[in-house]
Amino acid sequence: MRRGTLANMKANMTKSSLSPGALLKVFGLIGGLFVIAIIGVCISPYLPFLGPPRSVSGSTIALEEKWDFAAPTQSIYLPLTTGDLVLIRALNSVVAIDADTGTNRWNYISGSRNIPDSLLFVNKDSVIFRPNNDWTMYAVGRDDGKLKWQLERAFSDGQITGAAVDDTRVYVFSGRQGFVWAYNLKDGTLAWRSQSLHTGFYNITPRGDKLILFNNGTMFVLDSDTGYLSTMRENTFQGGSPWIFDDQVYQAFRNKLVVRNINTGATEWDLNKEPLYLTVIGDRVYFSSRDKSLSAVNRNSGQLLWEKYLDAAPVSAVTNIDDKGYLMLANGVIVELDMETGNEIGRVVTTPASTSPYYSDKGLATDGTMLYATFGDSTILAFGK
């Protein structure tokens, strides 16, 4: 009886282990776990909260790595340099780093991880930022990070949609009726409020005793001391959000780069290439496009001087130290270029191999001697001679 029973049990076990349905379930479970693991590996560089910290795996540029810094959360804005500090806007804080040593000078906790905000400005002694995408605005001391003043839900016209600072005031606007407010940097008191301009704006730019605003092809010029509307040029600046350099306004318009005179609105020149990131250095315009190209153009004549195709999409504007230019790519590489010819001199390779698209604001900054990089995760790298 016992032998028969044991034999039957073994037979049943053998039959069960060889059952096609059971095998299918086991292999299905293994396959599912394998697919999940592969997906996790593939997407982890794109998700800052899953990806490992960024590090330099190789470098052939003229600068050497000086320090790296791990912010408390992901950085959501390119670095800002001011004096001996590098400012980083993290998810729910503003972080000040010593530019020479990479040590944390101060960290002001404010805002929400769930509703991050990248609005950040600095002048000689204040750092101004919006904690969340709402009505508030904070000002802290540049050197110590201590709160100087704050605006709490100051606008009945809706949330702050843009801001700018000069040496004496912070200027903000909201998006419904086109009011502009000016607040004294010293204590946050209201200096003036403009009339309703009945429109939202792309951006606001202080320029001497004027404020320049653009929207839907129209340029508005306000007196920065009073808020009085002194000039309005309608339908003369059609295109995307402008870059302003001296008396020139650079805009993407109908798949072109269009350059207009800020005083007259007249077109100075255009180029059949749409800009993505743009900057002006000396007498040249450097801009990248969606086809992974980088171009250099004479800013006075519009003559194309050189064009270079890159191995990945640019995610920053060109910045320079002396005669060398630096550009960040979407594969985690920083390219060093000869600014005269566009030839590549060297590159920094970082790992993971991709920068995160989770945050669009990432890039490079320089104080003239050091190069600072954020990649959309929590790592900040510094390079110098």
Side-chain angles (χ1 to χ4, degrees):
M1 289 292 292
R2 289 183 178 176
R3 289 183 178 179
T5 302
L6 289 173
N8 291 335
M9 291 176 63
K10 289 181 179 179
N12 290 334
M13 290 176 64
T14 302
K15 289 179 181 179
S16 298
S17 64
L18 296 177
S19 169
L23 285 174
L24 186 61
K25 289 180 180 180
V26 171
F27 284 121
L29 178 60
I30 294 173
L33 292 173
F34 180 75
V35 170
I36 291 173
I38 292 297
I39 292 174
V41 170
C42 291
I43 70 171
S44 65
Y46 295 92
L47 299 175
F49 45 87
L50 291 179
R54 185 165 297 277
S55 61
V56 175
S57 57
S59 177
T60 57
I61 68 172
L63 308 176
E64 62 182 46
E65 184 181 358
K66 292 296 185 181
W67 50 260
D68 63 81
F69 181 88
T73 56
Q74 288 76 41
S75 59
I76 55 174
Y77 194 70
L78 70 162
L80 285 182
T81 60
T82 170
D84 60 348
L85 295 179
V86 180
L87 298 175
I88 300 297
R89 186 67 168 102
L91 277 179
N92 63 336
S93 63
V94 177
V95 183
I97 307 167
D98 188 290
D100 294 324
T101 65
T103 55
N104 190 190
R105 292 271 288 271
W106 53 262
N107 185 15
Y108 192 93
I109 304 296
S110 180
S112 167
R113 290 172 183 248
N114 299 321
I115 313 175
D117 192 84
S118 60
L119 200 67
L120 178 68
F121 301 94
V122 63
N123 80 336
K124 59 184 178 180
D125 55 17
S126 297
V127 178
I128 301 95
F129 61 96
R130 182 176 55 182
N132 301 125
N133 188 16
D134 58 18
W135 292 264
T136 64
M137 185 74 74
Y138 284 18
V140 301
R142 191 194 73 90
D143 295 325
D144 58 14
K146 293 182 179 180
L147 182 66
K148 300 175 71 172
W149 52 262
Q150 66 188 67
L151 305 176
E152 292 288 358
R153 299 183 64 85
F155 310 104
S156 60
D157 186 40
Q159 66 184 26
I160 297 171
T161 51
V165 299
D166 58 19
D167 289 338
T168 57
R169 303 180 190 92
V170 55
Y171 307 94
V172 301
F173 61 85
S174 62
R176 296 177 183 172
Q177 297 297 322
F179 289 106
V180 179
W181 288 264
Y183 291 90
N184 295 308
L185 278 177
K186 182 179 180 180
D187 54 14
T189 55
L190 180 66
W192 51 259
R193 190 195 77 168
S194 75
Q195 68 187 76
S196 173
L197 301 174
H198 303 289
T199 184
F201 301 106
Y202 293 142
N203 59 6
I204 181 170
T205 304
R207 181 180 167 88
D209 60 352
K210 307 294 182 185
L211 295 176
I212 313 296
L213 302 99
F214 291 89
N215 190 40
N216 295 329
T218 299
M219 181 181 75
F220 300 84
V221 182
L222 305 183
D223 185 292
S224 61
D225 290 326
T226 64
Y228 174 75
L229 177 64
S230 60
T231 304
M232 185 171 69
R233 299 189 183 280
E234 296 185 82
N235 303 317
T236 52
F237 292 93
Q238 292 89 353
S241 182
W243 295 275
I244 302 175
F245 295 94
D246 299 324
D247 287 336
Q248 292 179 315
V249 179
Y250 296 77
Q251 290 177 283
F253 181 59
R254 294 179 179 174
N255 299 317
K256 292 183 178 182
L257 168 60
V258 179
V259 182
R260 301 182 177 97
N261 184 281
I262 197 170
N263 298 309
T264 65
T267 299
E268 296 187 357
W269 53 267
D270 60 51
L271 199 67
N272 286 320
K273 210 166 183 64
E274 186 174 358
L276 184 61
Y277 295 94
L278 180 148
T279 192
V280 172
I281 301 174
D283 62 354
R284 293 188 175 192
V285 185
Y286 298 89
F287 71 93
S288 57
S289 301
R290 297 187 187 278
D291 60 359
K292 301 179 183 180
S293 66
L294 178 67
S295 304
V297 181
N298 183 293
R299 67 174 298 186
N300 298 312
S301 65
Q303 178 187 0
L304 180 64
L305 302 175
W306 52 258
E307 184 179 61
K308 175 184 177 63
Y309 283 86
L310 306 161
D311 51 292
V315 292
S316 79
V318 172
T319 189
N320 73 299
I321 298 178
D322 299 327
D323 60 347
K324 296 180 177 63
Y326 298 90
L327 180 70
M328 183 182 289
L329 307 182
N331 57 2
V333 168
I334 300 173
V335 179
E336 182 180 61
L337 301 169
D338 183 315
M339 299 190 70
E340 183 68 25
T341 64
N343 294 331
E344 182 174 323
I345 302 172
R347 58 175 47 200
V348 176
V349 179
T350 67
T351 55
S354 299
T355 64
S356 169
Y358 188 72
Y359 297 113
S360 59
D361 286 318
K362 58 182 78 71
L364 303 173
T366 182
D367 55 13
T369 59
M370 296 270 285
L371 183 71
Y372 308 97
T374 56
F375 297 86
D377 59 11
S378 60
T379 307
I380 297 94
L381 298 174
F383 304 87
K385 296 181 179 179

mmCIF file with all atom_site columns, all heavy atoms in Angstrom, residues 148-169:
data_model
loop_
_atom_site.group_PDB
_atom_site.id
_atom_site.type_symbol
_atom_site.label_atom_id
_atom_site.label_alt_id
_atom_site.label_comp_id
_atom_site.label_asym_id
_atom_site.label_entity_id
_atom_site.label_seq_id
_atom_site.pdbx_PDB_ins_code
_atom_site.Cartn_x
_atom_site.Cartn_y
_atom_site.Cartn_z
_atom_site.occupancy
_atom_site.B_iso_or_equiv
_atom_site.pdbx_formal_charge
_atom_site.auth_seq_id
_atom_site.auth_comp_id
_atom_site.auth_asym_id
_atom_site.auth_atom_id
_atom_site.pdbx_PDB_model_num
ATOM 1   N N   . LYS A 1 148 ? 14.042 88.224  3.144   1.00 0.00 ? 148 LYS A N   1
ATOM 2   C CA  . LYS A 1 148 ? 13.977 89.674  3.254   1.00 0.00 ? 148 LYS A CA  1
ATOM 3   C C   . LYS A 1 148 ? 12.532 90.156  3.199   1.00 0.00 ? 148 LYS A C   1
ATOM 4   O O   . LYS A 1 148 ? 12.122 91.011  3.962   1.00 0.00 ? 148 LYS A O   1
ATOM 5   C CB  . LYS A 1 148 ? 14.801 90.314  2.127   1.00 0.00 ? 148 LYS A CB  1
ATOM 6   C CG  . LYS A 1 148 ? 16.276 89.913  2.148   1.00 0.00 ? 148 LYS A CG  1
ATOM 7   C CD  . LYS A 1 148 ? 17.028 90.470  0.958   1.00 0.00 ? 148 LYS A CD  1
ATOM 8   C CE  . LYS A 1 148 ? 17.224 91.964  1.044   1.00 0.00 ? 148 LYS A CE  1
ATOM 9   N NZ  . LYS A 1 148 ? 18.120 92.460  -0.040  1.00 0.00 ? 148 LYS A NZ  1
ATOM 10  N N   . TRP A 1 149 ? 11.755 89.637  2.272   1.00 0.00 ? 149 TRP A N   1
ATOM 11  C CA  . TRP A 1 149 ? 10.342 89.954  2.172   1.00 0.00 ? 149 TRP A CA  1
ATOM 12  C C   . TRP A 1 149 ? 9.662  88.926  1.276   1.00 0.00 ? 149 TRP A C   1
ATOM 13  O O   . TRP A 1 149 ? 10.322 88.163  0.586   1.00 0.00 ? 149 TRP A O   1
ATOM 14  C CB  . TRP A 1 149 ? 10.103 91.370  1.650   1.00 0.00 ? 149 TRP A CB  1
ATOM 15  C CG  . TRP A 1 149 ? 10.814 91.723  0.371   1.00 0.00 ? 149 TRP A CG  1
ATOM 16  C CD1 . TRP A 1 149 ? 11.981 92.410  0.250   1.00 0.00 ? 149 TRP A CD1 1
ATOM 17  C CD2 . TRP A 1 149 ? 10.396 91.425  -0.967  1.00 0.00 ? 149 TRP A CD2 1
ATOM 18  N NE1 . TRP A 1 149 ? 12.337 92.555  -1.075  1.00 0.00 ? 149 TRP A NE1 1
ATOM 19  C CE2 . TRP A 1 149 ? 11.368 91.958  -1.841  1.00 0.00 ? 149 TRP A CE2 1
ATOM 20  C CE3 . TRP A 1 149 ? 9.300  90.763  -1.524  1.00 0.00 ? 149 TRP A CE3 1
ATOM 21  C CZ2 . TRP A 1 149 ? 11.279 91.848  -3.232  1.00 0.00 ? 149 TRP A CZ2 1
ATOM 22  C CZ3 . TRP A 1 149 ? 9.215  90.639  -2.909  1.00 0.00 ? 149 TRP A CZ3 1
ATOM 23  C CH2 . TRP A 1 149 ? 10.188 91.191  -3.729  1.00 0.00 ? 149 TRP A CH2 1
ATOM 24  N N   . GLN A 1 150 ? 8.342  88.913  1.336   1.00 0.00 ? 150 GLN A N   1
ATOM 25  C CA  . GLN A 1 150 ? 7.598  88.007  0.483   1.00 0.00 ? 150 GLN A CA  1
ATOM 26  C C   . GLN A 1 150 ? 6.264  88.628  0.115   1.00 0.00 ? 150 GLN A C   1
ATOM 27  O O   . GLN A 1 150 ? 5.706  89.431  0.854   1.00 0.00 ? 150 GLN A O   1
ATOM 28  C CB  . GLN A 1 150 ? 7.375  86.663  1.165   1.00 0.00 ? 150 GLN A CB  1
ATOM 29  C CG  . GLN A 1 150 ? 6.489  86.719  2.393   1.00 0.00 ? 150 GLN A CG  1
ATOM 30  C CD  . GLN A 1 150 ? 6.458  85.395  3.127   1.00 0.00 ? 150 GLN A CD  1
ATOM 31  O OE1 . GLN A 1 150 ? 7.477  84.974  3.678   1.00 0.00 ? 150 GLN A OE1 1
ATOM 32  N NE2 . GLN A 1 150 ? 5.308  84.758  3.139   1.00 0.00 ? 150 GLN A NE2 1
ATOM 33  N N   . LEU A 1 151 ? 5.778  88.303  -1.067  1.00 0.00 ? 151 LEU A N   1
ATOM 34  C CA  . LEU A 1 151 ? 4.462  88.708  -1.513  1.00 0.00 ? 151 LEU A CA  1
ATOM 35  C C   . LEU A 1 151 ? 3.570  87.481  -1.437  1.00 0.00 ? 151 LEU A C   1
ATOM 36  O O   . LEU A 1 151 ? 3.892  86.439  -2.009  1.00 0.00 ? 151 LEU A O   1
ATOM 37  C CB  . LEU A 1 151 ? 4.505  89.218  -2.961  1.00 0.00 ? 151 LEU A CB  1
ATOM 38  C CG  . LEU A 1 151 ? 5.492  90.348  -3.273  1.00 0.00 ? 151 LEU A CG  1
ATOM 39  C CD1 . LEU A 1 151 ? 5.462  90.663  -4.757  1.00 0.00 ? 151 LEU A CD1 1
ATOM 40  C CD2 . LEU A 1 151 ? 5.152  91.590  -2.462  1.00 0.00 ? 151 LEU A CD2 1
ATOM 41  N N   . GLU A 1 152 ? 2.462  87.591  -0.741  1.00 0.00 ? 152 GLU A N   1
ATOM 42  C CA  . GLU A 1 152 ? 1.544  86.464  -0.611  1.00 0.00 ? 152 GLU A CA  1
ATOM 43  C C   . GLU A 1 152 ? 0.252  86.762  -1.367  1.00 0.00 ? 152 GLU A C   1
ATOM 44  O O   . GLU A 1 152 ? -0.515 87.637  -0.983  1.00 0.00 ? 152 GLU A O   1
ATOM 45  C CB  . GLU A 1 152 ? 1.235  86.196  0.869   1.00 0.00 ? 152 GLU A CB  1
ATOM 46  C CG  . GLU A 1 152 ? 2.427  85.665  1.653   1.00 0.00 ? 152 GLU A CG  1
ATOM 47  C CD  . GLU A 1 152 ? 2.781  84.231  1.295   1.00 0.00 ? 152 GLU A CD  1
ATOM 48  O OE1 . GLU A 1 152 ? 2.072  83.630  0.464   1.00 0.00 ? 152 GLU A OE1 1
ATOM 49  O OE2 . GLU A 1 152 ? 3.773  83.719  1.845   1.00 0.00 ? 152 GLU A OE2 1
ATOM 50  N N   . ARG A 1 153 ? 0.048  86.044  -2.451  1.00 0.00 ? 153 ARG A N   1
ATOM 51  C CA  . ARG A 1 153 ? -1.170 86.175  -3.250  1.00 0.00 ? 153 ARG A CA  1
ATOM 52  C C   . ARG A 1 153 ? -1.494 87.649  -3.489  1.00 0.00 ? 153 ARG A C   1
ATOM 53  O O   . ARG A 1 153 ? -2.582 88.136  -3.195  1.00 0.00 ? 153 ARG A O   1
ATOM 54  C CB  . ARG A 1 153 ? -2.348 85.481  -2.559  1.00 0.00 ? 153 ARG A CB  1
ATOM 55  C CG  . ARG A 1 153 ? -2.134 83.998  -2.350  1.00 0.00 ? 153 ARG A CG  1
ATOM 56  C CD  . ARG A 1 153 ? -3.344 83.328  -1.720  1.00 0.00 ? 153 ARG A CD  1
ATOM 57  N NE  . ARG A 1 153 ? -4.499 83.391  -2.604  1.00 0.00 ? 153 ARG A NE  1
ATOM 58  C CZ  . ARG A 1 153 ? -4.750 82.507  -3.581  1.00 0.00 ? 153 ARG A CZ  1
ATOM 59  N NH1 . ARG A 1 153 ? -3.897 81.511  -3.790  1.00 0.00 ? 153 ARG A NH1 1
ATOM 60  N NH2 . ARG A 1 153 ? -5.804 82.606  -4.331  1.00 0.00 ? 153 ARG A NH2 1
ATOM 61  N N   . ALA A 1 154 ? -0.540 88.327  -4.059  1.00 0.00 ? 154 ALA A N   1
ATOM 62  C CA  . ALA A 1 154 ? -0.656 89.781  -4.184  1.00 0.00 ? 154 ALA A CA  1
ATOM 63  C C   . ALA A 1 154 ? -1.496 90.224  -5.372  1.00 0.00 ? 154 ALA A C   1
ATOM 64  O O   . ALA A 1 154 ? -1.818 91.396  -5.479  1.00 0.00 ? 154 ALA A O   1
ATOM 65  C CB  . ALA A 1 154 ? 0.735  90.388  -4.306  1.00 0.00 ? 154 ALA A CB  1
ATOM 66  N N   . PHE A 1 155 ? -1.861 89.285  -6.251  1.00 0.00 ? 155 PHE A N   1
ATOM 67  C CA  . PHE A 1 155 ? -2.454 89.729  -7.504  1.00 0.00 ? 155 PHE A CA  1
ATOM 68  C C   . PHE A 1 155 ? -3.877 89.209  -7.663  1.00 0.00 ? 155 PHE A C   1
ATOM 69  O O   . PHE A 1 155 ? -4.122 88.011  -7.642  1.00 0.00 ? 155 PHE A O   1
ATOM 70  C CB  . PHE A 1 155 ? -1.591 89.240  -8.680  1.00 0.00 ? 155 PHE A CB  1
ATOM 71  C CG  . PHE A 1 155 ? -0.142 89.567  -8.490  1.00 0.00 ? 155 PHE A CG  1
ATOM 72  C CD1 . PHE A 1 155 ? 0.752  88.584  -8.116  1.00 0.00 ? 155 PHE A CD1 1
ATOM 73  C CD2 . PHE A 1 155 ? 0.300  90.853  -8.636  1.00 0.00 ? 155 PHE A CD2 1
ATOM 74  C CE1 . PHE A 1 155 ? 2.076  88.884  -7.907  1.00 0.00 ? 155 PHE A CE1 1
ATOM 75  C CE2 . PHE A 1 155 ? 1.627  91.156  -8.438  1.00 0.00 ? 155 PHE A CE2 1
ATOM 76  C CZ  . PHE A 1 155 ? 2.530  90.176  -8.066  1.00 0.00 ? 155 PHE A CZ  1
ATOM 77  N N   . SER A 1 156 ? -4.794 90.127  -7.839  1.00 0.00 ? 156 SER A N   1
ATOM 78  C CA  . SER A 1 156 ? -6.187 89.743  -8.087  1.00 0.00 ? 156 SER A CA  1
ATOM 79  C C   . SER A 1 156 ? -6.386 89.352  -9.545  1.00 0.00 ? 156 SER A C   1
ATOM 80  O O   . SER A 1 156 ? -7.444 88.848  -9.920  1.00 0.00 ? 156 SER A O   1
ATOM 81  C CB  . SER A 1 156 ? -7.113 90.911  -7.748  1.00 0.00 ? 156 SER A CB  1
ATOM 82  O OG  . SER A 1 156 ? -6.788 92.050  -8.547  1.00 0.00 ? 156 SER A OG  1
ATOM 83  N N   . ASP A 1 157 ? -5.394 89.600  -10.374 1.00 0.00 ? 157 ASP A N   1
ATOM 84  C CA  . ASP A 1 157 ? -5.506 89.380  -11.809 1.00 0.00 ? 157 ASP A CA  1
ATOM 85  C C   . ASP A 1 157 ? -5.041 87.976  -12.217 1.00 0.00 ? 157 ASP A C   1
ATOM 86  O O   . ASP A 1 157 ? -4.969 87.663  -13.391 1.00 0.00 ? 157 ASP A O   1
ATOM 87  C CB  . ASP A 1 157 ? -4.676 90.433  -12.543 1.00 0.00 ? 157 ASP A CB  1
ATOM 88  C CG  . ASP A 1 157 ? -4.854 90.374  -14.045 1.00 0.00 ? 157 ASP A CG  1
ATOM 89  O OD1 . ASP A 1 157 ? -5.991 90.159  -14.494 1.00 0.00 ? 157 ASP A OD1 1
ATOM 90  O OD2 . ASP A 1 157 ? -3.858 90.505  -14.764 1.00 0.00 ? 157 ASP A OD2 1
ATOM 91  N N   . GLY A 1 158 ? -4.702 87.116  -11.286 1.00 0.00 ? 158 GLY A N   1
ATOM 92  C CA  . GLY A 1 158 ? -4.244 85.783  -11.650 1.00 0.00 ? 158 GLY A CA  1
ATOM 93  C C   . GLY A 1 158 ? -2.805 85.559  -11.238 1.00 0.00 ? 158 GLY A C   1
ATOM 94  O O   . GLY A 1 158 ? -2.151 86.412  -10.652 1.00 0.00 ? 158 GLY A O   1
ATOM 95  N N   . GLN A 1 159 ? -2.287 84.362  -11.566 1.00 0.00 ? 159 GLN A N   1
ATOM 96  C CA  . GLN A 1 159 ? -0.951 83.992  -11.124 1.00 0.00 ? 159 GLN A CA  1
ATOM 97  C C   . GLN A 1 159 ? 0.136  84.756  -11.864 1.00 0.00 ? 159 GLN A C   1
ATOM 98  O O   . GLN A 1 159 ? -0.069 85.268  -12.966 1.00 0.00 ? 159 GLN A O   1
ATOM 99  C CB  . GLN A 1 159 ? -0.740 82.498  -11.330 1.00 0.00 ? 159 GLN A CB  1
ATOM 100 C CG  . GLN A 1 159 ? -0.724 82.077  -12.788 1.00 0.00 ? 159 GLN A CG  1
ATOM 101 C CD  . GLN A 1 159 ? -0.617 80.584  -12.929 1.00 0.00 ? 159 GLN A CD  1
ATOM 102 O OE1 . GLN A 1 159 ? -1.006 79.847  -12.054 1.00 0.00 ? 159 GLN A OE1 1
ATOM 103 N NE2 . GLN A 1 159 ? -0.086 80.137  -14.055 1.00 0.00 ? 159 GLN A NE2 1
ATOM 104 N N   . ILE A 1 160 ? 1.305  84.839  -11.242 1.00 0.00 ? 160 ILE A N   1
ATOM 105 C CA  . ILE A 1 160 ? 2.465  85.452  -11.875 1.00 0.00 ? 160 ILE A CA  1
ATOM 106 C C   . ILE A 1 160 ? 2.876  84.591  -13.068 1.00 0.00 ? 160 ILE A C   1
ATOM 107 O O   . ILE A 1 160 ? 3.069  83.386  -12.939 1.00 0.00 ? 160 ILE A O   1
ATOM 108 C CB  . ILE A 1 160 ? 3.639  85.548  -10.888 1.00 0.00 ? 160 ILE A CB  1
ATOM 109 C CG1 . ILE A 1 160 ? 3.278  86.457  -9.713  1.00 0.00 ? 160 ILE A CG1 1
ATOM 110 C CG2 . ILE A 1 160 ? 4.893  86.063  -11.595 1.00 0.00 ? 160 ILE A CG2 1
ATOM 111 C CD1 . ILE A 1 160 ? 4.301  86.428  -8.598  1.00 0.00 ? 160 ILE A CD1 1
ATOM 112 N N   . THR A 1 161 ? 2.992  85.183  -14.231 1.00 0.00 ? 161 THR A N   1
ATOM 113 C CA  . THR A 1 161 ? 3.409  84.437  -15.418 1.00 0.00 ? 161 THR A CA  1
ATOM 114 C C   . THR A 1 161 ? 4.787  84.837  -15.928 1.00 0.00 ? 161 THR A C   1
ATOM 115 O O   . THR A 1 161 ? 5.313  84.205  -16.840 1.00 0.00 ? 161 THR A O   1
ATOM 116 C CB  . THR A 1 161 ? 2.379  84.605  -16.546 1.00 0.00 ? 161 THR A CB  1
ATOM 117 O OG1 . THR A 1 161 ? 2.112  85.998  -16.739 1.00 0.00 ? 161 THR A OG1 1
ATOM 118 C CG2 . THR A 1 161 ? 1.082  83.909  -16.193 1.00 0.00 ? 161 THR A CG2 1
ATOM 119 N N   . GLY A 1 162 ? 5.378  85.874  -15.358 1.00 0.00 ? 162 GLY A N   1
ATOM 120 C CA  . GLY A 1 162 ? 6.716  86.271  -15.755 1.00 0.00 ? 162 GLY A CA  1
ATOM 121 C C   . GLY A 1 162 ? 7.248  87.351  -14.842 1.00 0.00 ? 162 GLY A C   1
ATOM 122 O O   . GLY A 1 162 ? 6.476  88.029  -14.163 1.00 0.00 ? 162 GLY A O   1
ATOM 123 N N   . ALA A 1 163 ? 8.549  87.509  -14.813 1.00 0.00 ? 163 ALA A N   1
ATOM 124 C CA  . ALA A 1 163 ? 9.162  88.506  -13.941 1.00 0.00 ? 163 ALA A CA  1
ATOM 125 C C   . ALA A 1 163 ? 10.545 88.859  -14.454 1.00 0.00 ? 163 ALA A C   1
ATOM 126 O O   . ALA A 1 163 ? 11.123 88.157  -15.291 1.00 0.00 ? 163 ALA A O   1
ATOM 127 C CB  . ALA A 1 163 ? 9.240  87.986  -12.505 1.00 0.00 ? 163 ALA A CB  1
ATOM 128 N N   . ALA A 1 164 ? 11.078 89.944  -13.940 1.00 0.00 ? 164 ALA A N   1
ATOM 129 C CA  . ALA A 1 164 ? 12.441 90.379  -14.247 1.00 0.00 ? 164 ALA A CA  1
ATOM 130 C C   . ALA A 1 164 ? 12.895 91.304  -13.124 1.00 0.00 ? 164 ALA A C   1
ATOM 131 O O   . ALA A 1 164 ? 12.073 91.849  -12.381 1.00 0.00 ? 164 ALA A O   1
ATOM 132 C CB  . ALA A 1 164 ? 12.497 91.103  -15.593 1.00 0.00 ? 164 ALA A CB  1
ATOM 133 N N   . VAL A 1 165 ? 14.193 91.488  -12.998 1.00 0.00 ? 165 VAL A N   1
ATOM 134 C CA  . VAL A 1 165 ? 14.731 92.380  -11.980 1.00 0.00 ? 165 VAL A CA  1
ATOM 135 C C   . VAL A 1 165 ? 15.770 93.305  -12.590 1.00 0.00 ? 165 VAL A C   1
ATOM 136 O O   . VAL A 1 165 ? 16.393 92.988  -13.609 1.00 0.00 ? 165 VAL A O   1
ATOM 137 C CB  . VAL A 1 165 ? 15.374 91.600  -10.808 1.00 0.00 ? 165 VAL A CB  1
ATOM 138 C CG1 . VAL A 1 165 ? 14.355 90.726  -10.111 1.00 0.00 ? 165 VAL A CG1 1
ATOM 139 C CG2 . VAL A 1 165 ? 16.553 90.756  -11.288 1.00 0.00 ? 165 VAL A CG2 1
ATOM 140 N N   . ASP A 1 166 ? 15.937 94.475  -11.958 1.00 0.00 ? 166 ASP A N   1
ATOM 141 C CA  . ASP A 1 166 ? 17.084 95.337  -12.242 1.00 0.00 ? 166 ASP A CA  1
ATOM 142 C C   . ASP A 1 166 ? 17.720 95.675  -10.902 1.00 0.00 ? 166 ASP A C   1
ATOM 143 O O   . ASP A 1 166 ? 17.554 94.940  -9.924  1.00 0.00 ? 166 ASP A O   1
ATOM 144 C CB  . ASP A 1 166 ? 16.680 96.573  -13.050 1.00 0.00 ? 166 ASP A CB  1
ATOM 145 C CG  . ASP A 1 166 ? 15.628 97.440  -12.370 1.00 0.00 ? 166 ASP A CG  1
ATOM 146 O OD1 . ASP A 1 166 ? 15.449 97.323  -11.131 1.00 0.00 ? 166 ASP A OD1 1
ATOM 147 O OD2 . ASP A 1 166 ? 14.985 98.257  -13.058 1.00 0.00 ? 166 ASP A OD2 1
ATOM 148 N N   . ASP A 1 167 ? 18.425 96.759  -10.805 1.00 0.00 ? 167 ASP A N   1
ATOM 149 C CA  . ASP A 1 167 ? 19.141 97.074  -9.567  1.00 0.00 ? 167 ASP A CA  1
ATOM 150 C C   . ASP A 1 167 ? 18.231 97.563  -8.448  1.00 0.00 ? 167 ASP A C   1
ATOM 151 O O   . ASP A 1 167 ? 18.621 97.551  -7.276  1.00 0.00 ? 167 ASP A O   1
ATOM 152 C CB  . ASP A 1 167 ? 20.211 98.141  -9.837  1.00 0.00 ? 167 ASP A CB  1
ATOM 153 C CG  . ASP A 1 167 ? 21.368 97.596  -10.653 1.00 0.00 ? 167 ASP A CG  1
ATOM 154 O OD1 . ASP A 1 167 ? 21.548 96.363  -10.650 1.00 0.00 ? 167 ASP A OD1 1
ATOM 155 O OD2 . ASP A 1 167 ? 22.073 98.395  -11.292 1.00 0.00 ? 167 ASP A OD2 1
ATOM 156 N N   . THR A 1 168 ? 17.026 98.006  -8.775  1.00 0.00 ? 168 THR A N   1
ATOM 157 C CA  . THR A 1 168 ? 16.182 98.617  -7.747  1.00 0.00 ? 168 THR A CA  1
ATOM 158 C C   . THR A 1 168 ? 14.818 97.943  -7.565  1.00 0.00 ? 168 THR A C   1
ATOM 159 O O   . THR A 1 168 ? 14.222 98.047  -6.496  1.00 0.00 ? 168 THR A O   1
ATOM 160 C CB  . THR A 1 168 ? 15.934 100.107 -8.063  1.00 0.00 ? 168 THR A CB  1
ATOM 161 O OG1 . THR A 1 168 ? 15.335 100.223 -9.357  1.00 0.00 ? 168 THR A OG1 1
ATOM 162 C CG2 . THR A 1 168 ? 17.243 100.885 -8.038  1.00 0.00 ? 168 THR A CG2 1
ATOM 163 N N   . ARG A 1 169 ? 14.312 97.243  -8.584  1.00 0.00 ? 169 ARG A N   1
ATOM 164 C CA  . ARG A 1 169 ? 12.959 96.716  -8.517  1.00 0.00 ? 169 ARG A CA  1
ATOM 165 C C   . ARG A 1 169 ? 12.860 95.318  -9.111  1.00 0.00 ? 169 ARG A C   1
ATOM 166 O O   . ARG A 1 169 ? 13.694 94.909  -9.914  1.00 0.00 ? 169 ARG A O   1
ATOM 167 C CB  . ARG A 1 169 ? 11.968 97.634  -9.261  1.00 0.00 ? 169 ARG A CB  1
ATOM 168 C CG  . ARG A 1 169 ? 11.934 99.066  -8.766  1.00 0.00 ? 169 ARG A CG  1
ATOM 169 C CD  . ARG A 1 169 ? 10.925 99.880  -9.571  1.00 0.00 ? 169 ARG A CD  1
ATOM 170 N NE  . ARG A 1 169 ? 11.049 101.309 -9.267  1.00 0.00 ? 169 ARG A NE  1
ATOM 171 C CZ  . ARG A 1 169 ? 11.820 102.140 -9.948  1.00 0.00 ? 169 ARG A CZ  1
ATOM 172 N NH1 . ARG A 1 169 ? 12.523 101.694 -10.978 1.00 0.00 ? 169 ARG A NH1 1
ATOM 173 N NH2 . ARG A 1 169 ? 11.900 103.405 -9.610  1.00 0.00 ? 169 ARG A NH2 1
#
